[in-house]
Amino acid sequence: MSKKTVIGLLGLGTVGSGTLKVLNKFDNIIIKNIAVRDTNKKRNIEGLDNNILTTDAEMLVNDPDIDIIVEVMGGLHPAFELIKKALQNGKHIVTANKDLIAKHGEDLFSLAKENNVVIMYEAAVAGGIPILMPLRQSLSGNSITKIAGIMNGTTNYILTKMESEGSEFNAVLKEAQELGYAESDPSGDVQGHDAANKISILASLAFNKKVDVDKIYREGIDYISPIDISYASEFGYNIKLIALAQETKDKALDIRVHPMLISKKHPLAHINDVMNAIVVEGDAVGQVMFSGPGAGEMPTASSVTGDVLSIASELGINEYPLPMMRNNHSTNAVQLKIDDSRSRYYIRVNTDNLPGVIGDLGLTCGRKGINLCSIIQKGLLPDGTARIVLLTALAYEKDIQEALKEMYQKRTMKRVENVIRVMD
Ligand code: NAP
Ligand code: HSE
């Protein structure tokens, strides 16, 4: 009879419960113990043996019978210390913890290498969507040139609702919290931290370099208004929170997270509600898109289970399981500063309604070398001032910022109401 693989599960919340349900279908997998914060908590999990619950997570990482530690407790601490100890004890790791992998992945990958074990984290990026394994294996013949994705379901839900109902950000956020989509502290999602963690993980895999998540430029979606969504639509765009990683000619990595106007012809423009999608561009494959549920109990459990089964299938056969999934990098990425990045821009301003104002805005852009694709007045506001929208060709961020500074100094300028980057 072939050996059964013994699992220690750290966490039995949303992802842990789903993982338990899916893993229970496999006869070759034994879940020996599950660490939780509170063993008396009521849990509606059919067939759960309460005797295997413990608050002593250390016991699992030190248990010589356990082959794989599945960490789905979340947070940096004590998850970091527990995983380190498990690696030192020769255990393989499966985790869904993007915060931990983005922040401390490289230390853990080195420790895994030293101990001849592997860390798998498919669920950490875009929940149920398989993206890490395809990048490491199926797409390994490519030089990856660009990754762009919608990697946060909460913000995509909010932007989709704002678009379909014309509602303000705060109203939709409140509704999303009541429905349980957004957390009570939604800042990790709406300020783009969650997407930054995910793109940092993807970029380091795709470009084979260490990425510093703290250097990733990030904007949230809280400044997007229904007016921008409606104008964007008139110009042929939807607005999405995009996580982007691309290599420049000089091999620097341009990695950022911010809202973008996405052309309705782009496949990402039609990814709605809580769905996620990631477009990968490679020199051989061209463009491929991976889409699906980016979070949730069962989709995330699907990815966790896939990782567990991949490791289990090699235990006892291969002394060095899944060599392609070793992820420690020796080179630090040179990360492009936002000032040196290039994008197209949507700029919405509010000015006096006087002759020459539009021409003057055009001249300001021209002086900074910014080519305008469109400049139109969108009527008058109740106070008699004019609302004007500019769409630029590709421009350097630093030139845009200088042009905005000059616009602010004009007597006729009331407000620069919004600046959003554009992707065609
Ligand atoms: P969750 O529902 O809050 O569950 C956390 C679980 O960990 C709970 O069972 C909790 O115990 C246990 N726990 C927390 N701290 C502990 C400690 N110090 N010692 C022992 N047990 C502890 O979280 P989740 O949504 O499942 O997320 C888990 C991880 O998956 C996070 O890293 C998250 O970012 C990632 N992830 C989540 C999703 C998703 O859709 N939720 C998708 C992708 C990735 P109690 O039950 O006793 O409180
Ligand atoms: N909070 C995340 C989201 C789910 O809204 O997409 C976990 O990655």
Side-chain angles (χ1 to χ4, degrees), residues 286-325:
Q287 191 182 75
V288 281
M289 183 164 91
F290 301 81
S291 66
E297 179 185 352
M298 299 311 280
T300 312
S302 156
S303 290
V304 173
T305 304
D307 283 351
V308 169
L309 296 178
S310 299
I311 298 172
S313 68
E314 302 223 350
L315 290 181
I317 297 170
N318 196 336
E319 275 213 25
Y320 189 75
L322 303 167
M324 284 188 93
M325 304 310 286

Side-chain angles (χ1 to χ4, degrees), residues 7-76:
I7 308 292
L9 187 59
L10 304 181
L12 190 59
T14 306
V15 181
S17 305
T19 300
L20 179 67
K21 289 175 200 164
V22 183
L23 282 178
N24 272 341
K25 294 191 299 190
F26 295 89
D27 291 342
N28 60 331
I29 302 288
I30 296 171
I31 298 179
K32 185 171 178 194
N33 281 113
I34 306 174
V36 291
R37 246 184 317 228
D38 176 4
T39 50
N40 296 317
K41 195 172 184 176
K42 208 153 174 38
R43 299 170 199 273
N44 274 332
I45 305 171
E46 205 182 316
L48 172 66
D49 174 3
N50 278 306
N51 294 320
I52 66 170
L53 298 185
T54 173
T55 54
D56 187 0
E58 286 266 344
M59 179 183 83
L60 275 67
V61 300
N62 288 318
D63 183 340
D65 290 346
I66 289 179
D67 303 301
I68 305 175
I69 288 289
V70 177
E71 185 275 307
V72 285
M73 63 182 2
L76 292 180

Side-chain angles (χ1 to χ4, degrees), residues 188-206:
D189 291 320
V190 301
Q191 298 299 331
H193 295 281
D194 179 68
N197 284 335
K198 291 167 179 169
I199 194 68
S200 124
I201 293 172
L202 284 184
S204 84
L205 269 189

Side-chain angles (χ1 to χ4, degrees), residues 62-127:
N62 288 318
D63 183 340
D65 290 346
I66 289 179
D67 303 301
I68 305 175
I69 288 289
V70 177
E71 185 275 307
V72 285
M73 63 182 2
L76 292 180
H77 306 285
F80 181 55
E81 292 73 16
L82 289 167
I83 290 181
K84 261 171 69 173
K85 176 58 80 177
L87 291 169
Q88 284 158 345
N89 287 337
K91 299 186 193 314
H92 301 280
I93 304 293
V94 174
T95 177
N97 193 333
K98 61 244 169 183
D99 311 61
L100 183 67
I101 294 296
K103 191 85 189 157
H104 296 300
E106 295 291 344
D107 295 337
L108 295 174
F109 300 147
S110 300
L111 196 55
K113 191 176 175 196
E114 275 170 36
N115 289 282
N116 206 19
V117 287
V118 72
I119 303 178
M120 303 280 280
Y121 48 100
E122 186 64 72
V125 180

Side-chain angles (χ1 to χ4, degrees), residues 1-4 27 30:
M1 200 177 77
S2 65
K3 181 186 171 309
K4 299 199 177 204
D27 291 342
I30 296 171

Side-chain angles (χ1 to χ4, degrees), residues 150-206:
I150 296 169
M151 302 186 198
N152 183 267
T154 306
T155 45
N156 205 35
Y157 174 82
I158 293 172
L159 289 170
T160 306
K161 276 270 168 186
M162 286 174 72
E163 184 191 327
S164 61
E165 295 174 358
S167 322
E168 294 286 346
F169 168 78
N170 282 321
V172 183
L173 172 60
K174 194 158 169 280
E175 190 189 313
Q177 284 171 318
E178 281 160 8
L179 285 169
Y181 289 140
E183 300 192 21
S184 52
D185 174 8
S187 55
D189 291 320
V190 301
Q191 298 299 331
H193 295 281
D194 179 68
N197 284 335
K198 291 167 179 169
I199 194 68
S200 124
I201 293 172
L202 284 184
S204 84
L205 269 189

